Amino acid sequence: MFMEIPRLKNSGIENVYIWFGPNPHSHGRRVKISNIPNKFSKKDCFTLTIPNFSIIGEYNEKLITNDVLEKIKDLIRLNIKLIEDFSDEKISTDEFIDNLKPV
């Protein structure tokens, strides 16, 4: 499963695409956030670990301001159980999308 969540449809965070999906067992849970407005690129993104919110990689400070980063964290906190279940492949993509609460 590979899921990009654009602000216009689900997340409530303008211009930011966030990847949610199953994580390799060698990693903890994490999301990937695109550094490109309104588009996801595997080659230009950074990782935010869950639940401690460590940043792995470089991020576009013009797009991902401190306020935007806090909104992303709020989105994750608000939907943590849903994200965990999706990451662990306990729920379907449809269930994830249908139940995601925007910030």
Side-chain angles (χ1 to χ4, degrees), residues 10-96:
N10 296 83
S11 75
I13 303 170
E14 192 169 338
N15 302 319
V16 176
Y17 269 59
I18 304 170
W19 175 90
F20 299 91
N23 301 128
H25 294 292
S26 59
H27 295 242
R29 290 190 184 100
R30 55 190 58 214
V31 299
K32 294 185 183 258
I33 299 135
S34 182
N35 281 315
I36 302 170
N38 300 307
K39 180 179 175 182
F40 190 81
S41 171
K42 288 185 199 181
K43 295 181 181 183
D44 194 359
C45 64
F46 68 97
T47 299
L48 189 63
T49 64
I50 300 171
N52 61 358
F53 299 125
S54 295
I55 295 173
I56 300 170
E58 300 294 319
Y59 64 94
N60 175 352
E61 293 179 16
K62 290 182 181 180
L63 176 63
I64 310 297
T65 63
N66 287 336
D67 287 343
V68 170
L69 189 56
E70 286 308 309
K71 282 185 180 181
I72 293 168
K73 292 176 184 179
D74 289 343
L75 176 73
I76 293 168
R77 286 183 197 105
L78 181 63
N79 293 284
I80 190 68
K81 177 70 170 125
L82 187 69
I83 293 167
E84 289 172 348
D85 286 350
F86 186 64
S87 294
D88 294 343
E89 300 182 78
K90 293 179 180 177
I91 61 172
S92 70
T93 302
D94 288 341
E95 288 174 284
F96 181 75

